[in-house]
Every structure is written in structure tokens, then in C-alpha cells.
């Protein structure tokens, strides 16, 4: 019996060592290939499953598993915690590459990266969050986001449910109207009111890992587009330790990271969707041109689609440069002009992306409108129409209206 137990122990030890070696090998393999190359391979996996993800409204597990295997989830985590320290512009490029293949995969990746950025930029001084980042790298943990609550829609800067403190333990019960991939995620990063007696705008950001919470489904997700994001509604019931609250207050996290990073990564996804639509429209026009030798009548719409895609890409690159230049300067990040620019980046990028996909659809005509055509642009159109409502453009413009009054008109083009 003792011999048998010893043999079993040896087998468990051998399996564990093999697991560690396999993980280390994967890490080395991932490190030897550029982030862009790995993203391109994941985009191919996402493309192969995109139609099924859309028609079945299911989580893109093949693409996200492939992203895990290629260590894409930890790309932006600093090297000292086991990540690659990728810059935001590199992450946005991954979003663009994935967005060309499967909008849901890309948006899931973008939302996860927004949460990673909040923890990396505001949690590295906390031992709990350092440990969490190491785990994220080792286990390729996928983080979801909960900001939308009850009937408050996209009012991110106000929370209803408070953190309840019981000595060093905390509890949160929240009616989360939409949590994309809530069931598939390994953790949820959520806003909350600081305490029961705090104002709704006095918020904190908390990281809960899967063992810390239960989710009770309140609503399903049968949406027009972005169907694989699986944004079901849940009652979130979480228990954790006080250390899980990020040390910085949410107003700082929102201004410095959450708003600019979310808007930039989302716009990368939308540009990818728009690029896929332009690609299909171009293939259609090429085929029509090749057949008759004459430019088809819809070709002018392709010209317009290509031009607005170029404008969108330029806008994203300019905003990324602006963010990366200000990223470690709190005063620059909090400046009214910077905040207005980052808020309006989302409005402009979503409008350009919708216009690009619409022009592409017009260029392809009925071939783009049909679902059963190789030039179909239906999925891209449905997906891109989420962009103006994912935090409503009207709400954003109302929020920056006062700041617009304060500004002055530049005298020089270069100001
Ligand atoms: C694909 C997708 C994924 C999402 N994933 C998540 C997620 O993971 N986690 C999460 O928490 N949330 C998520 N959301 C929800 C999102 O963050 C917003 O909360 C939601 O899109 C806004 O919903 P709403 O239209 O009900 O809200 P509201 O913002 O209340 O807007 C309702 C209507 O009121 C108008 N409106 C609102 N404010 C103003 C104003 N000040 N002036 C004029 N008009 C105004 C709007 O234009 C709109 O017509 C997701 C949304 C989408 C589309």
C-alpha cells in the first residue's frame, strides 16, 4: 500500500513538473515571437469561428483560448510581474487585428485590457494587486468589467451599490445590468460606492476573482451585434478582503486610465471592423471591375469608405501618441483639454467607423446586404452599430458641453 502511494505521489510530482516545464516552454515560445505576429495567428482562429460565434451568440472560446496559449492576455503587464510590458499602442494594434476577424473577440480583449491597465497603473503599489498580476500572467486570467448598474445606463461616474466593510473583509451586492462574458471570466473589476454613507460619485474600483463571487442571471443577451460578447445581466454577490480595493480613488483612475484607455482600445476594435468592411467592398468592386472592365457605379462609395478608414486610423494614432506622451503626468492627464479630447475621441471614432461601414455597404450594394454572399457586410454593420451606444455618444457630449464653453479657438493650425 505504502509502495503504491509512493508511486502515485511520484506520478503527481512528474505531472506537476511536466506542467511547469510546458508553461515555461510556452512562455519562452511566446516571448520569441512578436506580439503582432501572435495577434495575427489569433485573428486567424477568431476568423474561423466568427460566423458561428455571431449566429449562436456564444463566447468565442477557441479564440480566447488561443490568446491565452499565446500569452496575449498578459501582454501589457510589466515584465517584473511576468508580462511583456507592451505599450498601449501595441495593444490597440492587437484590437485592430482581432477586430478585422471577429468583433466580439476583439471587444472582449479590449475590455480585458482596460481592466489590466487600471490595475497596472493604479495597483502596483499594493501587494494584493501585485500577486494578482503575477497570477494573471501565470494563469492567463480573463477580467470582465462591471460599471453599468440598475437603471443608470452608461453613467460610469455614479454607483448605487456600496462596499460594506466587516473588519478587514468587504462585501458588495450589485445589480449589474450588463457584464460582457461575465460567466466566462475569471474575475470581475467593478466600480462601487465607497461606503453606505458616501455620495454616488465617491467611488472605488475593486478586483474580485472567481472564488470571491456568485452571479445570478437577471437577463440574457440576444443583441443585434457584438453577439459573442455575451453581455448578460447578473446580480453580483461578492466577498473579499479590503486589500482588493485599488488604493487610488475611482475619480483618478477614471480620468487617468479608464476613460482614455477604454476609448482607445474600443476605437482599435471599431477600426478593425471598418477595415473588414472596406476589404469586402474592395473585393466586390475588383470583381465587378474585372468582369466588365468598367468601374461599377458603387465604386465612389469605396473611395469614400477607404478615405474615412484612413481618417479613423490617423485619429487613433494621433490620440494614442497624445495619451502615451501624457501617460505618466497626472497634471497633463487631468487637464480639461486632454479629458475633452479623450472623451470626444470615442464620439468621433465611432461616427467615422459607422460611416466607413455604411459606405462599404453602399459600394457592395445587394451583395453586401445579403447574408449569403461572399461580400456580405451585414455582420460588420450590426457589430459597428454598438459603437455609438457603448456609453452613449449623447451622454459623452452632454458631459463635455461645459468644458467646450471654457475653451478658446486656436489662432494657429499648429496650436
Ligand atoms: C457591446 C457592449 C458591451 C458592453 N459591455 C459592458 C460590460 O462589460 N460591463 C458594463 O458594465 N457595461 C457594458 N455595456 C454597457 C455600456 O457600458 C453602457 O452602459 C450602455 O451601452 C448604455 O446603455 P443605455 O443606452 O441604457 O444607457 P444610457 O446612457 O442611459 O442611454 C439611454 C439613452 O439616453 C440618452 N442619453 C443618456 N444620457 C444623455 C444625456 N446626458 N443627454 C442626452 N441624452 C442622453 C442616450 O443617447 C440613449 O438614447 C456594454 C454595452 C455594449 C453595447
Amino acid at each position: 500500500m505504502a509502495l503504491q502511494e509512493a508511486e502515485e505521489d511520484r506520478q503527481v510530482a512528474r505531472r506537476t513538473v511536466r506542467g511547469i516545464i510546458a508553461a515555461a516552454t510556452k512562455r519562452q515560445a511566446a516571448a520569441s515571437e512578436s506580439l503582432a505576429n501572435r495577434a495575427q495567428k489569433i485573428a486567424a482562429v477568431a476568423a474561423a469561428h466568427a460566423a458561428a460565434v455571431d449566429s449562436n451568440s456564444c463566447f468565442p472560446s477557441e479564440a480566447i483560448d488561443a490568446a491565452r496559449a499565446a500569452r496575449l492576455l498578459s501582454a501589457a503587464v510589466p515584465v517584473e510581474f511576468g508580462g511583456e510590458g507592451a505599450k498601449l499602442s501595441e495593444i490597440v494594434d492587437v484590437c485592430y487585428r482581432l477586430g478585422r476577424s471577429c468583433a466580439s473577440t476583439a471587444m472582449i480583449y479590449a475590455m480585458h485590457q482596460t481592466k489590466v491597465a487600471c490595475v497596472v497603473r493604479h495597483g502596483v503599489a499594493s501587494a494584493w494587486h501585485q500577486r494578482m498580476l503575477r497570477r494573471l500572467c501565470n494563469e492567463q486570467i480573463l477580467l470582465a468589467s462591471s460599471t453599468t448598474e440598475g437603471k443608470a445606463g452608461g453613467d460610469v461616474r455614479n454607483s448605487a451599490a456600496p462596499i460594506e466593510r466587516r473588519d478587514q473583509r468587504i462585501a458588495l451586492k450589485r445589480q449589474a445590468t450588463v457584464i460582457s462574458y461575465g460567466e466566462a471570466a475569471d474575475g470581475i473589476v467593478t466600480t462601487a460606492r465607497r461606503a453606505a454613507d458616501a455620495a454616488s460619485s465617491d467611488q472605488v474600483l475593486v478586483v474580485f476573482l472567481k472564488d470571491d463571487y456568485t452571479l445570478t442571471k437577471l437577463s440574457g443577451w440576444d443583441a443585434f451585434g457584438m453577439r459573442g460578447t455575451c453581455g448578460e445581466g447578473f446580480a453580483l454577490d461578492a466577498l473579499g478582503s479590503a486589500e482588493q480595493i485599488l488604493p487610488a480613488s475611482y475619480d483618478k483612475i477614471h480620468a487617468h486610465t479608464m476613460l482614455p484607455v477604454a476609448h482607445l482600445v474600443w476605437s482599435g476594435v471599431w477600426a478593425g471592423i471598418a477595415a473588414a468592411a472596406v476589404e469586402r467592398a474592395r473585393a466586390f468592386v475588383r470583381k465587378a471591375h474585372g468582369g466588365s472592365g468598367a468601374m461599377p457605379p458603387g465604386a465612389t462609395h469605396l473611395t469614400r469608405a477607404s478615405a474615412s478608414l484612413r481618417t479613423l486610423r490617423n485619429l487613433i494614432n494621433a490620440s494614442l501618441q497624445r495619451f502615451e506622451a501624457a501617460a505618466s503626468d497626472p497634471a497633463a492627464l487631468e487637464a480639461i483639454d486632454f479629458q475633452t479630447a479623450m472623451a470626444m475621441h470615442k464620439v468621433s471614432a465611432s461616427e467615422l467607423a459607422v460611416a466607413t461601414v455604411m459606405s462599404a455597404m453602399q459600394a457592395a450594394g445587394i451583395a453586401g446586404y445579403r447574408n449569403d454572399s461572399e461580400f456580405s457586410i451585414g455582420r460588420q454593420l450590426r457589430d459597428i452599430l454598438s459603437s455609438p451606444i457603448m456609453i452613449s455618444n449623447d451622454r459623452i457630449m452632454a458631459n463635455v458641453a461645459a468644458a467646450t464653453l471654457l475653451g478658446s479657438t486656436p489662432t494657429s493650425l499648429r496650436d
Side-chain angles (χ1 to χ4, degrees), residues 107 111 144-149 151-156 174 176-181 221 225-226 229 231 266 383 386-399:
M107 189 48 86
M111 289 191 265
S145 166
S146 178
T147 55
T148 310
E149 185 182 18
K151 294 194 172 61
D155 188 6
V156 184
R174 155 176 244 267
T177 340
V178 187
I179 306 183
S180 291
Y181 55 97
W221 179 256
M226 290 290 183
T229 56
W266 293 353
D383 289 335
S386 67
S387 65
I389 61 159
M390 196 170 173
I391 308 295
S392 157
N393 282 359
D394 291 341
R395 184 184 283 281
I396 292 174
M397 286 195 287
N399 286 348

Side-chain angles (χ1 to χ4, degrees), residues 228-401:
T229 56
C230 302
E232 294 160 332
F234 297 100
L236 169 68
D237 194 343
L239 275 173
S241 91
E243 299 168 287
Q244 291 171 237
I245 300 174
L246 282 155
S249 62
Y250 184 67
D251 60 338
K252 293 271 183 245
I253 298 175
H254 185 81
H256 292 193
T257 306
M258 177 84 167
L259 179 138
V261 172
H263 289 184
L264 287 163
V265 290
W266 293 353
S267 65
V269 176
W270 300 332
I273 300 169
V278 171
E279 211 172 334
R280 285 170 182 228
R282 184 176 295 116
F284 169 79
V285 171
R286 273 191 187 143
K287 192 171 181 186
H289 179 239
S292 67
M295 273 293 182
T300 50
H301 290 293
L302 175 62
T303 310
R304 198 190 298 275
S306 305
S308 59
L309 176 62
R310 193 174 304 118
T311 309
L312 172 58
R313 288 167 49 98
N314 288 343
L315 171 75
I316 296 172
N317 284 321
S319 297
L320 275 169
Q321 272 179 21
R322 191 165 181 183
F323 174 76
E324 286 179 344
S328 50
D329 179 350
L333 291 167
E334 284 165 29
I336 289 179
D337 193 45
F338 179 84
Q339 285 294 313
T340 307
M342 288 297 143
M344 286 307 293
H345 171 84
K346 189 265 164 180
V347 175
S348 307
S350 59
E351 286 175 352
L352 274 167
V354 170
T356 306
V357 178
M358 276 307 298
S359 295
M361 172 73 92
Q362 283 172 287
I366 191 77
Y369 190 70
R370 296 174 67 128
N371 285 327
D372 57 355
S373 137
E374 63 182 302
F375 306 111
S376 175
I377 296 171
R379 176 158 56 85
Q380 283 75 21
L381 185 60
R382 286 186 290 103
D383 289 335
I384 207 63
L385 287 177
S386 67
S387 65
I389 61 159
M390 196 170 173
I391 308 295
S392 157
N393 282 359
D394 291 341
R395 184 184 283 281
I396 292 174
M397 286 195 287
N399 286 348
V400 299

Side-chain angles (χ1 to χ4, degrees), residues 48-60:
H49 297 276
V53 162
D54 176 58
S55 63
N56 302 330
S57 193
C58 62
F59 179 75

